[in-house]
Amino acid sequence: MPAPPELAAFMIEMSIDGAPALVLVLSADGAVNRGGSGKAGPVEKDVFIEQTDGTFFREVVTAFDPSWLDKAGIYALPGRVGPRHILKLSLLCIGRPPVVLAFDYRLDSGPPPAIQAFIQRALEVTQPWYDRQRQAVARFDASAQKKPWWKLW
């Protein structure tokens, strides 16, 4: 029996009523790329990228179900309440073509619970890191406003 495919990276993309709400990429080699919170509201324009030790990926991948690799497609889920959400989960495995699962839904419908749990886990694991990145940018922006335009240090 062949070994199950090894997940090397994944990307989560979400838009709410056409506005980008989240992009989150984690890879086994430790790369992290995140912008947004996955919530409706003002678009968060900052995207942060860092090379880490891979802990984030290892913590999230425990919620990965290999059966998702056989379910690529676009799923239109009926719903009438709330804004339109488009969620894309791209899965990259070694030795396989990429797999994309896309869900078009509203608040009274949504992706399967296991997919929701995976997305939530990715957000929870990366949230403290994301908050630190945003705070660092806010501190830099605040200090830059106190200096002449030509002096960055």
Side-chain angles (χ1 to χ4, degrees):
M1 178 178 235
E6 182 181 345
L7 187 64
F10 65 86
M11 177 169 61
I12 301 164
E13 299 170 276
M14 180 186 288
S15 65
I16 301 174
D17 274 347
L22 174 68
V23 62
L24 195 159
V25 180
L26 292 177
S27 68
D29 71 358
V32 180
N33 180 331
R34 179 170 169 185
S37 63
K39 297 177 183 170
V43 174
E44 296 178 36
K45 295 180 181 173
D46 293 323
V47 176
F48 303 102
I49 301 170
E50 186 174 354
Q51 186 66 40
T52 68
D53 65 2
T55 301
F56 295 151
F57 179 83
R58 288 190 301 277
E59 289 183 23
V60 175
V61 80
T62 60
F64 168 67
D65 182 347
S67 71
W68 299 342
L69 297 171
D70 299 323
K71 297 179 179 167
I74 300 170
Y75 299 89
L77 307 172
R80 296 187 177 141
V81 177
R84 181 180 184 198
H85 290 62
I86 304 290
L87 172 68
K88 293 179 189 171
L89 176 59
S90 302
L91 305 168
L92 304 170
C93 291
I94 296 170
R96 286 186 69 133
V99 172
V100 179
L101 293 91
F103 302 90
D104 183 346
Y105 65 99
R106 303 229 179 216
L107 293 179
D108 60 341
S109 60
I115 299 279
Q116 291 180 33
F118 183 81
I119 304 298
Q120 188 62 40
R121 182 73 181 139
L123 287 168
E124 289 170 357
V125 165
T126 59
Q127 191 64 46
W129 172 84
Y130 184 64
D131 290 341
R132 285 192 303 275
Q133 303 304 315
R134 292 178 63 200
Q135 290 167 358
V137 167
R139 282 192 306 272
F140 177 78
D141 286 348
S143 69
Q145 291 177 4
K146 297 176 185 175
K147 297 178 183 176
W149 66 268
W150 49 268
K151 190 171 186 180
L152 298 176
W153 55 93

